[in-house]
Amino acid sequence: MLSLRPLLPVLLALALVGPAGAAAAAQADGIETARTGRQIAPGIRLESYDRLEADRWLRIDELLVDLGGRGGVRAEYLGGRGRATVAEAAARHPAGPGRRVVAAVNGDFFDIRGTGAPLGPGLGGGRLLHSATPGPGAAPAVGFGADGIGRVLRIALEGSVTLPGGAVRPLAGYNAARPPAAGLAAYTADWPGTELPAVGNAVAVRDGRVTAAAPPVRGPARRARPAPGTTVLAAAGGAAAAELAALRPGDAVAVAARAHPDAGPVPVAAVGGREALVVAGVPQDHDGKPNNTAAPRTAVGFSRDGRRLRILTVDGRQRDSGGLTLTALGRLMHRLGAYEALNLDGGGSSTLLAGLSGATALALENSPSDGELRPVSNGLVLTVPAGSGRTAGYRVEPVGGTTQDLTRVFPRLTRTLTATGYDALLGPAPGAPVWSADGAGTVDSAGVFHAVRPGRATAHARRTTAHGALRHGELPHGELPLEVLGPLTRIRPTQARIGLAEQGESAGFRLTGYDAQGAAAVVEPRDVALEFDRSRWRVTDDGHAGFTVTALVPQATGRLRATVRAVGAAGAAGAPGSGSGPTTELALGAGLVTLPVTDLADVADWTGPGASATEGHSGAGLALELTGAAAQASAAPPRPLPVPELARSLTLWVGGDGSGARPAVELAAADGAAVTVRGPAVDWTGWRELTLPLPATAEPPFSVTRLSAVRGTRPGRLALDTLGARTPPAGPAAAPVVRDPIVATEAGVRARPWRFAVEPAGGSRAGTGDAGADFVLTGADRAQFVHRGVRFLPLDTTRRTLGGGGLDRMRALREALAAAARDPATGALAVVRADAPDTVDRKETALTAHLLAEFRRTTGKRAAVLTLGAPAFAAGRSEGVLSVASPRTGRTLVGVDAFAQGDWLAVRQTR
């Protein structure tokens, strides 16, 4: 999943601070590449940012919370009634009279394969809800006092059971996820799991008396949650179990349990954690210890006085964010200012939700590694005073999101806006706004912005009583800056083909438009006319600036044609204008057909341990031997095998021997990530065709890199044949050819004040004797240089983005941007790099493009990317940044005028 948070003006400022400032901003181990932020409530702010480290990208979301202040923020225990997602638990959390929930995060590690109960201690409302597992000993937690101040502490169980006759026994567990091996455990209605663990003997106690004796023990049995006011005493065996077996209804039994902190008062609220990340201002070293692997993380930290809370999630196990080790997480928390910090549950559990001004529901801020919210045992929730409900301002947004392509619009087209009212505490407030706009467009009473001419505009949502204070540097609430681009020149869909597996299934797409400089904006459904077979498809406005396509028949192919219909500058949205605008097409398909990937006719060319040719199901086949000490066998094709882009699943014929071996297809995703699709244990003999679903979270298109198998319960031999892909028959996508104006005749190129040439070789040289060319570029292995107003920045693309190459390239780019911005004699910056799709990832490419576009926008200077050794010649532009791809054969001649009024490059491929 490619994700670049919106780049703020501060990003360019970081790029332009010069070598010394850039080095400081990089903080030695990485650089921040993008940041957004918003106020959640008085005393709570969310900061979200991306970082590029030497070996990974990182996405980080951080809640900054003032505790014990005038904002009235409270941190409370969340959940405790069985596993639920953080969103579900936060939606039903009782905030109390006059308060509301504004943020939530997952909490403790839990018994994920058992009861689902948290493994650490928990307190809510000043009561002990559960003790840690195992035993009554002290366990780490984050706690919050009656004054709201927080701290990292250790909490033990202090409890007892008084039996008939006055004998007192220690309590070994209280609502603990796993019952103690010896001693007595107590379970109440506060039990945080779904059902009680198998605890052996048990009695129910209510109002100090046994109400039900234990049944005869015939093995462990799970029991339902106790009713309120009832305590279940349990023992797994030994003397404690015998004492419970001797109890009878009516016997007097007293159970006492309370939390015992290692220091200070008992917290009002507490959630358990595990590893200490920062202790007394010192980040902890977890090298060589368990759990110190790169993973998604959730952490909580405090300032020295406990008044500043920092809740942080780091996404992981994704190409877009690789996660952190515990050691690196501790260093990060320390660098951010934590004096004490504790690691909470991570992995697929990491979840951070935060509110939006005026919203009643929380929004998911991070990207959980499971691809969806995981049910967890508990968490922390932040609540604040509810506010008056009287409108103090509006949060104005485009329908569909706040990305740059939705805050832009083309002349004579529209953008639909929403206004959400909020009160002085940023809580919900009803009330319709009065719309207005200034600048390059108008807004109608329904909140639809009509673009009139290129330029800047501001949409306003106001009430006569609206007012409110703002943080320094934030945009005024109730206003939304918009940019009207140049005239629309072309459109394209976000996906050129839509494949639906069956009748009734739906998929969505948006239309993106471009002006002559390659600046992009979403084109809304109201401005588009569609042509398609209405007997086979239904296409509707999805309410989020896009379209939804639904299959009306089980099997079909077809095409959808979208044409932008111009509207008058002051006309109603969607009204036909004097003519129609650009057009694009999508290929549609419904139903699944099996397309071949390989029939293994070339099996003799496949290589790998334990692999050999054999007779297949209907021709040649591949044998994978799992004999002797071999635990795995595999074979790679002569070259990666492409899988159809719209494929839903793979099919594979497997000849089984009943050995329990598991076949697998190993793939490479579009972003280079390795993906393995595994089949079931082969407990059959003879041939059987398997269907292996492709993971929805990986990025297509895929290519097959290997077929493999792992050993089962005994040595075995699997035979494989005919790999296919179940794919909707959408047909080929339309590929419009766009010729950029910088592609010129040779005479046009030579008309420029000076020229250089590009050749596919191994270095850069000057003075080559080429007629009229100042120099020839043949590689990207020389230092940057300035020539006649252009700063050339050759970037070494031999090292992978996530192997240190990206970090070095981004540092070099930022320094070059700073130098070009300062130098009045420099009119343009040209980035020179060799074509390297296997080493430079798409996020680095996107970041480079963003930085160059921002440089162009803020300085007025020019920018280009020159790619050497590309598969084919190409020239174009995006956001005004020119791109030239010089092919592996032939010569490309480039004419230059760094200070021209129009395009500053003219390009011609020669042979």
Side-chain angles (χ1 to χ4, degrees):
M1 174 178 56
L2 179 64
S3 171
L4 276 174
R5 302 178 194 272
L7 297 181
L8 304 181
V10 69
L11 178 56
L12 186 64
L14 285 173
L16 303 182
V17 294
Q27 299 173 334
D29 58 348
I31 56 175
E32 185 176 304
T33 61
R35 178 181 287 265
T36 60
R38 71 173 187 267
Q39 198 72 20
I40 305 302
I44 306 176
R45 184 168 178 81
L46 173 71
E47 293 288 333
S48 302
Y49 46 97
D50 291 4
R51 288 181 61 84
L52 173 59
E53 308 289 334
D55 60 347
R56 72 197 68 199
W57 292 96
L58 291 175
R59 282 197 310 263
I60 301 171
D61 294 282
E62 181 183 8
L63 284 171
L64 307 175
V65 186
D66 292 325
L67 299 173
R70 289 182 297 177
V73 181
R74 293 180 192 164
E76 302 173 6
Y77 184 96
L78 176 66
R81 290 283 178 168
R83 291 177 60 187
T85 66
V86 176
E88 292 167 342
R92 62 181 182 233
H93 179 76
R99 298 188 68 82
R100 64 189 180 97
V101 171
V102 293
V105 69
N106 69 289
D108 199 0
F109 292 79
F110 58 95
D111 186 16
I112 193 169
R113 293 181 178 84
T115 63
L119 298 177
L123 286 86
R127 297 187 300 108
L128 176 67
L129 301 177
H130 52 87
S131 65
T133 294
V142 291
F144 303 86
D147 57 359
I149 306 303
R151 70 189 198 269
V152 175
L153 72 164
R154 297 183 69 85
I155 298 175
L157 169 63
E158 189 174 88
S160 63
V161 178
T162 303
L163 298 172
V168 179
R169 303 287 183 257
L171 192 61
Y174 185 78
N175 286 329
R178 298 167 186 161
L184 295 169
Y187 296 90
T188 72
D190 290 326
W191 162 247
T194 52
E195 56 183 7
L196 299 188
V199 292
N201 279 11
V203 299
V205 177
R206 189 177 182 89
D207 297 328
R209 298 285 177 178
V210 174
T211 59
V217 178
R218 294 188 177 92
R222 294 187 181 274
R223 294 173 170 83
R225 179 191 310 276
T230 297
T231 298
V232 172
L233 277 177
E243 287 181 314
L244 287 185
L247 295 176
R248 296 292 179 267
D251 286 349
V253 174
V255 181
R258 70 181 188 93
H260 181 71
D262 56 352
V266 175
V268 172
V271 168
R274 186 176 288 175
E275 296 89 356
L277 300 173
V278 183
V279 177
V282 178
Q284 301 299 290
D285 185 354
H286 290 270
D287 290 350
K289 300 176 183 177
N291 199 28
N292 193 37
T293 58
R297 298 290 182 185
T298 301
V300 174
F302 299 97
S303 59
R304 188 165 190 167
D305 62 4
R307 293 182 175 275
R308 186 75 163 170
L309 165 67
R310 192 177 300 272
I311 299 174
L312 181 142
T313 59
V314 181
D315 292 339
R317 296 175 186 161
Q318 303 169 51
R319 191 74 172 179
D320 211 22
S321 187
L324 286 177
T325 65
L326 291 175
T327 301
L329 182 63
R331 290 172 182 164
L332 174 62
M333 293 296 288
H334 176 257
R335 189 166 65 239
L336 293 172
Y339 186 75
E340 302 278 350
L342 185 67
N343 181 50
L344 302 185
D345 191 13
S349 299
S350 285
T351 307
L352 180 65
L353 305 175
L356 294 160
S357 301
T360 56
L362 304 184
L364 176 65
E365 300 298 334
N366 73 318
S367 179
S369 62
D370 288 353
E372 59 185 1
L373 296 186
R374 173 188 288 180
V376 297
S377 65
N378 63 6
L380 283 172
V381 64
L382 301 179
T383 69
V384 297
S388 66
R390 295 189 297 271
T391 304
Y394 289 95
R395 172 169 49 87
V396 181
E397 295 177 322
V399 166
T402 57
T403 55
Q404 184 183 55
D405 58 359
L406 282 165
T407 57
R408 292 170 159 182
V409 63
F410 295 101
R412 304 178 69 192
L413 300 186
T414 60
R415 179 68 68 228
T416 306
L417 308 178
T418 63
T420 305
Y422 60 85
D423 62 22
L425 299 184
L426 305 184
V434 175
W435 290 98
S436 64
D438 52 44
T442 62
V443 178
D444 63 25
S445 60
V448 178
F449 176 79
H450 300 259
V452 175
R453 61 186 180 276
R456 301 283 175 174
T458 303
H460 304 271
R462 293 191 179 98
R463 292 190 76 190
T464 56
T465 58
H467 65 278
L470 302 172
R471 290 173 58 90
H472 177 70
E474 287 188 329
L475 293 173
H477 286 79
E479 296 183 356
L480 179 70
L482 295 164
E483 181 183 4
V484 181
L485 301 176
L488 177 66
T489 61
R490 60 188 174 95
I491 60 171
R492 72 178 186 186
T494 51
Q495 53 194 86
R497 295 186 298 160
I498 290 181
L500 305 171
E502 58 188 5
Q503 181 179 356
E505 184 174 299
S506 299
F509 72 94
R510 282 180 175 174
L511 291 175
T512 303
Y514 300 87
D515 68 9
Q517 289 299 317
V522 171
V523 178
E524 288 194 20
R526 71 171 66 245
D527 294 328
V528 177
L530 301 178
E531 299 174 52
F532 58 94
D533 185 342
R534 298 176 186 274
S535 67
R536 297 185 172 193
W537 319 97
R538 181 172 61 247
V539 184
T540 57
D541 183 338
D542 67 4
H544 301 282
F547 301 85
T548 299
V549 180
T550 305
L552 300 180
V553 294
Q555 295 282 338
T557 59
R559 304 193 76 81
L560 181 150
R561 183 181 179 89
T563 303
V564 176
R565 48 190 180 194
V567 297
S578 57
S580 60
T583 294
T584 191
E585 288 190 353
L586 292 80
L588 305 178
L592 293 176
V593 296
T594 301
L595 300 179
V597 175
T598 178
D599 61 2
L600 290 172
D602 61 348
V603 67
D605 298 325
W606 288 56
T607 57
S612 62
T614 189
E615 183 179 352
H617 176 254
S618 59
L622 172 69
L624 297 178
E625 302 282 351
L626 296 161
T627 57
Q632 184 170 355
S634 64
R639 63 195 59 81
L641 305 171
V643 175
E645 185 171 3
L646 299 181
R648 299 297 186 88
S649 60
L650 300 176
T651 60
L652 179 66
W653 281 94
V654 177
D657 62 353
S659 66
R662 292 189 65 187
V665 181
E666 299 180 28
L667 308 155
D671 59 3
V675 177
T676 301
V677 181
R678 301 189 185 279
V682 178
D683 57 2
W684 66 88
T685 58
W687 286 96
R688 181 178 297 182
E689 187 178 34
L690 302 182
T691 298
L692 310 174
L694 289 166
T697 54
E699 187 170 358
F702 301 100
S703 58
V704 177
T705 58
R706 193 178 304 272
L707 298 179
S708 62
V710 294
R711 184 169 175 164
T713 55
R714 60 180 175 81
R717 178 181 184 272
L718 293 186
L720 308 179
D721 189 10
T722 310
L723 180 67
R726 296 285 288 166
T727 308
V737 177
V738 179
R739 180 183 174 91
D740 194 274
I742 65 171
V743 179
T745 64
E746 186 165 347
V749 172
R750 294 190 180 278
R752 296 287 172 145
W754 66 276
R755 289 154 299 286
F756 68 90
V758 181
E759 288 183 349
S764 299
R765 64 186 188 272
T768 63
D770 180 77
D774 289 20
F775 59 85
V776 176
L777 282 178
T778 57
D781 58 350
R782 62 175 290 182
Q784 65 175 288
F785 61 98
V786 179
H787 186 83
R788 300 182 68 172
V790 180
R791 180 174 294 271
F792 287 85
L793 175 64
L795 293 178
D796 177 10
T797 57
T798 58
R799 287 196 300 155
R800 292 183 177 275
T801 300
L802 303 185
L807 187 58
D808 290 343
R809 289 188 287 268
M810 283 301 105
R811 285 174 173 162
L813 177 58
R814 283 159 51 138
E815 292 176 7
L817 287 167
R822 290 193 303 265
D823 183 8
T826 297
L829 173 70
V831 173
V832 183
R833 63 186 186 189
D835 183 59
D838 294 333
T839 58
V840 179
D841 72 23
R842 292 193 295 170
K843 191 167 182 180
E844 181 189 342
T845 299
L847 178 58
T848 300
H850 275 291
L851 283 171
L852 292 174
E854 192 73 0
F855 165 79
R856 177 182 179 274
R857 184 185 68 82
T858 57
T859 67
K861 299 187 178 187
R862 315 304 182 83
V865 177
L866 309 177
T867 302
L868 282 59
F873 173 80
R877 67 191 69 206
S878 174
E879 304 294 334
V881 177
L882 304 179
S883 63
V884 177
S886 177
R888 297 165 187 165
T889 59
R891 166 176 287 206
T892 303
L893 188 64
V894 184
V896 186
D897 183 353
F899 300 98
Q901 290 298 313
D903 284 336
W904 63 285
L905 293 182
V907 183
R908 178 72 174 175
Q909 185 188 13
T910 63
R911 293 189 180 276

